[in-house]
Amino acid sequence: MLFGLPQTRDPRLQLLKNVVLFKDLSMRELAMVNSLMHERNYLADEVIFDEGEEGQGLFLVLGGRVKIVLPASANTLLLELGPGAFFGEVALLDQSLRTAQARALEDTQIVVLFRAEFYSLLETHSAIASRISFQLARVLAARLRQAVLNAEHHQAT
């Protein structure tokens, strides 16, 4: 940081800036959120979280690839995610159990924003947390609409 301003050349900040949840944040605000995130590294085929575990936070892929599967349904593949994608976002809102398993497809680098840090952000910097929450609501609404459309399509066929 130079003169109190975050380094805009920081590759992690640049990646975060391109994530829809953080698109409305300034670089200074983004640097603040970044400071709350915890970096994790996973080996290929390592479980990130399991179906049935309590959700603790949102995960963002920095490098590598992650698959989201339903182990109870013969490992049905739901999603494959790469750098810039996020998953587990519902855990920022509630303490419900994970409905799927997340597993690294290759060596993968992830950052996690835990619910406790997000709640702390809500208390200390409510404007930042509100902008993230608004984007989160938009993403969840779009995913719900898509799920309804997919269900209607499957019923019609």
mmCIF file of all heavy atoms in Angstrom, residues 108-125:
data_model
loop_
_atom_site.group_PDB
_atom_site.id
_atom_site.type_symbol
_atom_site.label_atom_id
_atom_site.label_comp_id
_atom_site.label_asym_id
_atom_site.label_seq_id
_atom_site.Cartn_x
_atom_site.Cartn_y
_atom_site.Cartn_z
ATOM 1 N N THR A 108 -5.718 -26.309 -6.172
ATOM 2 C CA THR A 108 -6.609 -25.149 -6.217
ATOM 3 C C THR A 108 -6.326 -24.208 -5.054
ATOM 4 O O THR A 108 -6.114 -24.651 -3.929
ATOM 5 C CB THR A 108 -8.080 -25.627 -6.172
ATOM 6 O OG1 THR A 108 -8.320 -26.477 -7.296
ATOM 7 C CG2 THR A 108 -9.060 -24.471 -6.206
ATOM 8 N N GLN A 109 -6.358 -22.920 -5.355
ATOM 9 C CA GLN A 109 -6.189 -21.874 -4.351
ATOM 10 C C GLN A 109 -7.527 -21.143 -4.204
ATOM 11 O O GLN A 109 -8.127 -20.737 -5.197
ATOM 12 C CB GLN A 109 -5.092 -20.906 -4.792
ATOM 13 C CG GLN A 109 -4.801 -19.818 -3.803
ATOM 14 C CD GLN A 109 -3.732 -18.872 -4.353
ATOM 15 O OE1 GLN A 109 -3.526 -18.734 -5.548
ATOM 16 N NE2 GLN A 109 -3.059 -18.198 -3.445
ATOM 17 N N ILE A 110 -7.951 -21.005 -2.960
ATOM 18 C CA ILE A 110 -9.263 -20.434 -2.647
ATOM 19 C C ILE A 110 -9.108 -19.408 -1.536
ATOM 20 O O ILE A 110 -8.230 -19.534 -0.691
ATOM 21 C CB ILE A 110 -10.224 -21.568 -2.200
ATOM 22 C CG1 ILE A 110 -10.602 -22.429 -3.400
ATOM 23 C CG2 ILE A 110 -11.468 -21.047 -1.501
ATOM 24 C CD1 ILE A 110 -11.450 -23.612 -3.082
ATOM 25 N N VAL A 111 -9.994 -18.403 -1.521
ATOM 26 C CA VAL A 111 -10.129 -17.543 -0.349
ATOM 27 C C VAL A 111 -11.538 -17.739 0.191
ATOM 28 O O VAL A 111 -12.480 -17.991 -0.558
ATOM 29 C CB VAL A 111 -9.848 -16.044 -0.631
ATOM 30 C CG1 VAL A 111 -8.373 -15.796 -0.860
ATOM 31 C CG2 VAL A 111 -10.675 -15.516 -1.766
ATOM 32 N N VAL A 112 -11.638 -17.646 1.512
ATOM 33 C CA VAL A 112 -12.908 -17.856 2.195
ATOM 34 C C VAL A 112 -13.268 -16.596 2.964
ATOM 35 O O VAL A 112 -12.428 -16.025 3.657
ATOM 36 C CB VAL A 112 -12.817 -19.040 3.191
ATOM 37 C CG1 VAL A 112 -14.174 -19.316 3.818
ATOM 38 C CG2 VAL A 112 -12.256 -20.277 2.525
ATOM 39 N N LEU A 113 -14.516 -16.171 2.821
ATOM 40 C CA LEU A 113 -15.063 -15.108 3.661
ATOM 41 C C LEU A 113 -16.033 -15.791 4.614
ATOM 42 O O LEU A 113 -17.109 -16.241 4.208
ATOM 43 C CB LEU A 113 -15.777 -14.042 2.828
ATOM 44 C CG LEU A 113 -16.429 -12.908 3.606
ATOM 45 C CD1 LEU A 113 -15.390 -12.136 4.436
ATOM 46 C CD2 LEU A 113 -17.161 -11.959 2.667
ATOM 47 N N PHE A 114 -15.603 -15.934 5.859
ATOM 48 C CA PHE A 114 -16.437 -16.610 6.849
ATOM 49 C C PHE A 114 -17.583 -15.711 7.292
ATOM 50 O O PHE A 114 -17.488 -14.482 7.262
ATOM 51 C CB PHE A 114 -15.599 -17.037 8.053
ATOM 52 C CG PHE A 114 -14.649 -18.162 7.737
ATOM 53 C CD1 PHE A 114 -13.290 -17.931 7.633
ATOM 54 C CD2 PHE A 114 -15.118 -19.451 7.542
ATOM 55 C CE1 PHE A 114 -12.411 -18.956 7.332
ATOM 56 C CE2 PHE A 114 -14.253 -20.498 7.243
ATOM 57 C CZ PHE A 114 -12.891 -20.243 7.138
ATOM 58 N N ARG A 115 -18.673 -16.334 7.687
ATOM 59 C CA ARG A 115 -19.869 -15.620 8.133
ATOM 60 C C ARG A 115 -19.538 -14.639 9.249
ATOM 61 O O ARG A 115 -20.011 -13.501 9.247
ATOM 62 C CB ARG A 115 -20.948 -16.611 8.594
ATOM 63 C CG ARG A 115 -22.258 -15.951 8.974
ATOM 64 C CD ARG A 115 -23.330 -16.918 9.485
ATOM 65 N NE ARG A 115 -23.351 -18.202 8.828
ATOM 66 C CZ ARG A 115 -22.899 -19.333 9.383
ATOM 67 N NH1 ARG A 115 -22.400 -19.335 10.605
ATOM 68 N NH2 ARG A 115 -22.946 -20.472 8.716
ATOM 69 N N ALA A 116 -18.707 -15.040 10.208
ATOM 70 C CA ALA A 116 -18.369 -14.166 11.338
ATOM 71 C C ALA A 116 -17.707 -12.877 10.855
ATOM 72 O O ALA A 116 -18.021 -11.786 11.352
ATOM 73 C CB ALA A 116 -17.451 -14.897 12.315
ATOM 74 N N GLU A 117 -16.802 -12.986 9.872
ATOM 75 C CA GLU A 117 -16.148 -11.788 9.330
ATOM 76 C C GLU A 117 -17.140 -10.926 8.556
ATOM 77 O O GLU A 117 -17.090 -9.708 8.596
ATOM 78 C CB GLU A 117 -14.952 -12.152 8.443
ATOM 79 C CG GLU A 117 -13.684 -12.408 9.210
ATOM 80 C CD GLU A 117 -13.572 -13.831 9.752
ATOM 81 O OE1 GLU A 117 -14.465 -14.656 9.491
ATOM 82 O OE2 GLU A 117 -12.585 -14.093 10.453
ATOM 83 N N PHE A 118 -18.056 -11.586 7.844
ATOM 84 C CA PHE A 118 -19.061 -10.835 7.100
ATOM 85 C C PHE A 118 -19.985 -10.077 8.061
ATOM 86 O O PHE A 118 -20.300 -8.907 7.830
ATOM 87 C CB PHE A 118 -19.871 -11.765 6.196
ATOM 88 C CG PHE A 118 -20.860 -11.042 5.328
ATOM 89 C CD1 PHE A 118 -20.424 -10.181 4.336
ATOM 90 C CD2 PHE A 118 -22.215 -11.207 5.509
ATOM 91 C CE1 PHE A 118 -21.324 -9.501 3.535
ATOM 92 C CE2 PHE A 118 -23.128 -10.540 4.718
ATOM 93 C CZ PHE A 118 -22.685 -9.684 3.713
ATOM 94 N N TYR A 119 -20.393 -10.722 9.139
ATOM 95 C CA TYR A 119 -21.230 -10.046 10.141
ATOM 96 C C TYR A 119 -20.476 -8.889 10.790
ATOM 97 O O TYR A 119 -21.048 -7.840 11.078
ATOM 98 C CB TYR A 119 -21.715 -11.023 11.203
ATOM 99 C CG TYR A 119 -22.853 -11.931 10.744
ATOM 100 C CD1 TYR A 119 -23.336 -11.910 9.442
ATOM 101 C CD2 TYR A 119 -23.444 -12.821 11.614
ATOM 102 C CE1 TYR A 119 -24.359 -12.735 9.032
ATOM 103 C CE2 TYR A 119 -24.475 -13.661 11.216
ATOM 104 C CZ TYR A 119 -24.919 -13.605 9.920
ATOM 105 O OH TYR A 119 -25.950 -14.428 9.523
ATOM 106 N N SER A 120 -19.204 -9.082 11.029
ATOM 107 C CA SER A 120 -18.378 -8.006 11.568
ATOM 108 C C SER A 120 -18.341 -6.832 10.593
ATOM 109 O O SER A 120 -18.429 -5.665 10.992
ATOM 110 C CB SER A 120 -16.965 -8.520 11.839
ATOM 111 O OG SER A 120 -16.128 -7.478 12.259
ATOM 112 N N LEU A 121 -18.214 -7.134 9.308
ATOM 113 C CA LEU A 121 -18.234 -6.090 8.283
ATOM 114 C C LEU A 121 -19.568 -5.360 8.286
ATOM 115 O O LEU A 121 -19.616 -4.132 8.131
ATOM 116 C CB LEU A 121 -17.958 -6.718 6.908
ATOM 117 C CG LEU A 121 -17.765 -5.765 5.741
ATOM 118 C CD1 LEU A 121 -16.495 -4.939 5.920
ATOM 119 C CD2 LEU A 121 -17.713 -6.535 4.428
ATOM 120 N N LEU A 122 -20.662 -6.091 8.487
ATOM 121 C CA LEU A 122 -21.987 -5.464 8.579
ATOM 122 C C LEU A 122 -22.048 -4.448 9.721
ATOM 123 O O LEU A 122 -22.661 -3.391 9.590
ATOM 124 C CB LEU A 122 -23.070 -6.528 8.800
ATOM 125 C CG LEU A 122 -23.600 -7.232 7.568
ATOM 126 C CD1 LEU A 122 -24.406 -8.466 7.963
ATOM 127 C CD2 LEU A 122 -24.441 -6.299 6.730
ATOM 128 N N GLU A 123 -21.406 -4.784 10.823
ATOM 129 C CA GLU A 123 -21.418 -3.892 11.991
ATOM 130 C C GLU A 123 -20.489 -2.699 11.835
ATOM 131 O O GLU A 123 -20.819 -1.597 12.252
ATOM 132 C CB GLU A 123 -21.043 -4.681 13.245
ATOM 133 C CG GLU A 123 -22.084 -5.682 13.663
ATOM 134 C CD GLU A 123 -21.650 -6.515 14.863
ATOM 135 O OE1 GLU A 123 -20.652 -6.172 15.511
ATOM 136 O OE2 GLU A 123 -22.332 -7.515 15.141
ATOM 137 N N THR A 124 -19.319 -2.918 11.249
ATOM 138 C CA THR A 124 -18.311 -1.855 11.207
ATOM 139 C C THR A 124 -18.339 -1.024 9.925
ATOM 140 O O THR A 124 -17.984 0.156 9.958
ATOM 141 C CB THR A 124 -16.892 -2.440 11.383
ATOM 142 O OG1 THR A 124 -16.643 -3.378 10.342
ATOM 143 C CG2 THR A 124 -16.745 -3.096 12.748
ATOM 144 N N HIS A 125 -18.718 -1.621 8.831
ATOM 145 C CA HIS A 125 -18.737 -0.924 7.538
ATOM 146 C C HIS A 125 -20.006 -1.342 6.791
ATOM 147 O O HIS A 125 -19.943 -2.049 5.776
ATOM 148 C CB HIS A 125 -17.487 -1.261 6.721
ATOM 149 C CG HIS A 125 -16.229 -0.779 7.344
ATOM 150 N ND1 HIS A 125 -15.519 -1.513 8.259
ATOM 151 C CD2 HIS A 125 -15.575 0.406 7.214
ATOM 152 C CE1 HIS A 125 -14.476 -0.818 8.658
ATOM 153 N NE2 HIS A 125 -14.482 0.341 8.045
#
